[in-house]
């Protein structure tokens, strides 16, 4: 599948000429001089022209709207890729109205039911804008809800996977590690990894009411080791001060099986919520991408119609086509298209200022035909 396409229109020049005759000439030239360039007709219906003033007034909206609609299309595609990656699934081929994206583009058919061709062009563009804007707003809300759950999970994971100085210790401590009685209490000390010998040789002397040989190592990470120590409750504050002076941190901790179970259940629920929301958002994105891409192609049809009239004049008489040239073939294909518009003195050549006024597309290059590029990835 190509990811970059040109949508172009060529004028029907000679009296009695038809778009079919131009199409035949284009096919012949491409097959002889750039046979590896995919070429398709882009079927633009007979839309309601209105007045030249109305087309000129619409031109600015067309430029801005194209950037907007294309941008939303890419946002949804990126969201889909993120969701598929988060779910550990391979990216599937996106579809539009049940067919692959490139097939929809290269075999485009105007949806008369959704966008009646007799409607004013401004009304059609307005309908596309409002529809795509609503989808973008919906995506922001849905993505925010999903990201909120992901943030909660990330915060919990950081607590469970950070260094011993900051992480949640509940899953490292067993009931038998802790002693709590009327007079005795077990504390948890965070000891720098390379100070463990200092801890084992000195913790009993940090206070006279420390239970001898009561310290056990429970866990060790890259920076710290986790030790228990049992002492009389009345000297806890003094022991903490002495430990801190030696470079040991005593973590406040109260063992609670109920709290640990609640945290476990909360984690499981968040994981279930995350997966349910990921799946739901992904399905919504698939459907919304189809909707936005379809709207974008209808927008491109309006754009090529308006630009062609502003370039070639009335009545509308032009051929529109889709090409996907490789980078190495671009220059040759441009030359073919220019030849079909006549020589370098063609009446359809415009200066850059003319193109900005009457050509809409904002292309950096100037051509004697209408051309703009769309990227579908």
């Amino acid at each position: 599948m190509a990811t970059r396409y040109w949508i172009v229109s060529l004028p029907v020049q000679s009296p009695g000429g038809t778009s079919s005759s131009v199409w035949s000439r284009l096919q012949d030239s491409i097959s002889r001089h750039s046979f590896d360039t995919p070429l398709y007709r882009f079927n633009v219906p007979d839309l309601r022209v209105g007045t030249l003033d109305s087309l000129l007034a619409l031109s600015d909206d067309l430029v801005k709207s194209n950037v907007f609609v294309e941008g939303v299309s890419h946002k949804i595609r990126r969201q889909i890729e993120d969701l598929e990656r988060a779910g550990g699934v391979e990216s599937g081929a996106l579809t539009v109205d049940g067919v692959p994206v490139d097939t929809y583009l290269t075999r485009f058919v105007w949806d008369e039911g959704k966008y009646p061709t007799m409607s004013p062009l401004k009304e059609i563009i307005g309908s596309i804008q409002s529809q795509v804007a609503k989808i973008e707003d919906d995506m922001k809300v849905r993505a925010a809800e999903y990201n909120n759950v992901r943030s909660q999970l990330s915060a919990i994971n950081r607590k469970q996977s950070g260094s011993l100085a900051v992480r949640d210790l509940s899953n490292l401590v067993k009931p038998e590690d802790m002693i709590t009685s009327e007079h005795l209490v077990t504390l948890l000390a965070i000891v720098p990894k390379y100070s463990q010998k200092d801890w084992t040789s000195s913790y009993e002397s940090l206070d006279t009411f420390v239970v001898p040989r009561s310290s056990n190592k429970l866990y060790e990470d890259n920076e710290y080791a986790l030790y228990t120590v049992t002492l009389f409750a009345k000297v806890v504050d003094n022991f903490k001060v002495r430990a801190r002076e030696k470079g040991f941190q005593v973590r406040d901790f109260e063992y609670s099986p109920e709290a640990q179970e609640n945290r476990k259940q909360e984690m499981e629920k968040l994981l279930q919520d995350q997966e349910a929301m990921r799946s739901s958002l992904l399905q919504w994105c698939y459907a919304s991408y189809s909707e936005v891409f379809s709207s974008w192609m209808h927008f491109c049809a309006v754009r090529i119609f308006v630009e062609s009239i502003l370039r070639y004049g009335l009545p509308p008489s032009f051929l529109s086509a889709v090409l996907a040239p490789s980078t190495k073939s671009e220059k040759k294909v441009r030359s073919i298209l220019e030849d079909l518009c006549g020589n370098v003195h063609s009446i359809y050549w415009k200066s850059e200022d003319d193109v900005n006024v009457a050509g809409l597309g904002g292309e950096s290059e100037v051509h004697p035909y209408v051309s703009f590029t769309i990227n579908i990835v």
Side-chain angles (χ1 to χ4, degrees):
M1 180 185 75
T3 59
R4 185 177 56 85
Y5 292 87
W6 294 350
I7 298 182
V8 305
S9 79
L10 298 169
V12 177
Q13 301 178 69
S14 59
T18 64
S19 59
S20 294
S21 63
V22 177
W23 172 245
S24 296
R25 292 172 59 202
L26 177 59
Q27 282 183 304
D28 181 61
S29 295
I30 291 293
S31 64
R32 284 191 292 112
H33 302 294
S34 185
F35 64 89
D36 61 339
T37 297
L39 171 66
Y40 314 89
R41 289 194 73 155
F42 189 68
N43 297 307
V44 179
D46 293 327
L47 298 171
R48 183 174 171 180
V49 176
T51 64
L52 184 60
D53 285 344
S54 67
L55 295 181
L56 287 170
L58 189 62
S59 63
D60 284 341
D61 279 345
L62 287 173
V63 175
K64 290 181 287 189
S65 294
N66 183 70
V67 173
F68 169 66
V69 177
E70 181 178 6
V72 174
S73 169
H74 294 330
K75 283 180 188 176
I76 298 176
R77 177 182 277 272
R78 287 193 297 269
Q79 182 70 75
I80 288 172
E81 291 170 351
D82 289 345
L83 292 168
E84 289 176 333
R85 192 160 45 245
V89 297
E90 290 189 17
S91 298
L94 294 179
T95 61
V96 181
D97 289 352
V99 300
V101 174
D102 55 333
T103 302
Y104 183 87
L105 166 58
T106 56
R107 301 179 186 174
F108 174 73
V109 177
W110 184 272
D111 188 340
E112 177 69 22
K114 185 178 289 186
Y115 306 108
T117 52
M118 288 309 295
S119 299
L121 295 179
K122 186 175 182 179
E123 187 177 301
I124 293 175
I125 294 300
S127 176
I128 291 173
Q129 286 175 321
S130 61
Q131 182 182 25
V132 174
K134 183 180 184 304
I135 289 174
E136 183 187 39
D137 289 342
D138 286 349
M139 186 177 73
K140 288 178 181 177
V141 172
R142 291 169 184 265
E145 292 173 348
Y146 170 69
N147 289 329
N148 181 50
V149 173
R150 290 184 69 189
S151 295
Q152 293 179 55
L153 277 170
S154 295
I156 292 174
N157 286 328
R158 282 196 298 273
K159 286 182 179 179
Q160 293 184 339
S161 60
S163 77
L164 287 169
V166 296
R167 68 173 288 177
D168 179 14
L169 303 176
S170 59
N171 62 335
L172 303 178
V173 182
K174 299 180 177 64
E176 57 268 26
D177 297 325
M178 306 299 291
I179 296 175
T180 303
S181 67
E182 182 180 355
H183 299 292
L184 294 176
V185 64
T186 298
L187 302 180
L188 296 179
I190 309 301
V191 178
K193 187 174 181 178
Y194 300 105
S195 300
Q196 295 182 71
K197 286 185 178 179
D198 187 20
W199 166 261
T200 55
S201 65
S202 66
Y203 77 89
E204 293 179 2
S205 61
L206 293 180
D207 195 278
T208 56
F209 291 93
V210 175
V211 177
R213 295 181 299 281
S214 64
S215 183
N216 296 302
K217 183 163 75 171
L218 304 183
Y219 184 80
E220 181 178 312
D221 64 17
N222 293 330
E223 299 178 78
Y224 301 99
L226 174 64
Y227 282 86
T228 61
V229 59
T230 302
L231 61 157
F232 280 77
K234 64 182 182 180
V235 298
V236 165
D237 290 341
N238 183 60
F239 182 87
K240 286 182 177 180
V241 171
R242 295 282 182 85
R244 185 164 58 247
E245 290 172 351
K246 294 275 291 181
F248 310 132
Q249 175 190 355
V250 176
R251 290 278 305 272
D252 291 328
F253 180 82
E254 182 178 348
Y255 185 79
S256 170
E258 296 80 8
Q260 191 169 350
E261 181 62 25
N262 289 340
R263 281 191 288 270
K264 181 181 177 182
Q265 291 179 0
E266 179 190 9
M267 182 74 165
E268 289 175 350
K269 184 178 184 305
L270 283 171
L271 284 169
Q272 292 172 357
D273 289 347
Q274 177 184 244
E275 180 54 29
M277 294 177 75
R278 187 197 69 81
S279 179
S280 174
L281 179 55
L282 184 57
Q283 293 306 313
W284 181 88
C285 284
Y286 285 145
S288 296
Y289 181 83
S290 173
E291 193 69 35
V292 170
F293 193 87
S294 173
S295 297
W296 186 21
M297 291 306 101
H298 282 80
F299 176 88
C300 287
V302 174
R303 182 181 177 188
I304 203 78
F305 181 81
V306 171
E307 289 196 31
S308 296
I309 292 175
L310 292 175
R311 176 66 69 93
Y312 310 133
L314 290 169
S317 184
F318 58 89
L319 164 76
S320 52
V322 174
L323 303 98
S326 62
T327 302
K328 66 179 182 179
S329 300
E330 285 187 8
K331 189 173 182 180
K332 171 57 70 176
V333 174
R334 289 291 185 197
S335 177
I336 291 170
L337 294 171
E338 288 171 7
D339 287 345
L340 290 172
C341 291
N343 58 34
V344 293
H345 302 296
S346 167
I347 60 171
Y348 303 117
W349 278 105
K350 302 282 185 178
S351 69
E352 278 199 55
D353 288 341
D354 292 334
V355 171
N356 290 335
V357 172
L360 311 181
E363 294 278 329
S364 57
E365 298 178 62
V366 182
H367 311 288
Y369 52 88
V370 174
S371 172
F372 56 86
T373 302
I374 64 169
N375 297 287
I376 63 175
V377 174

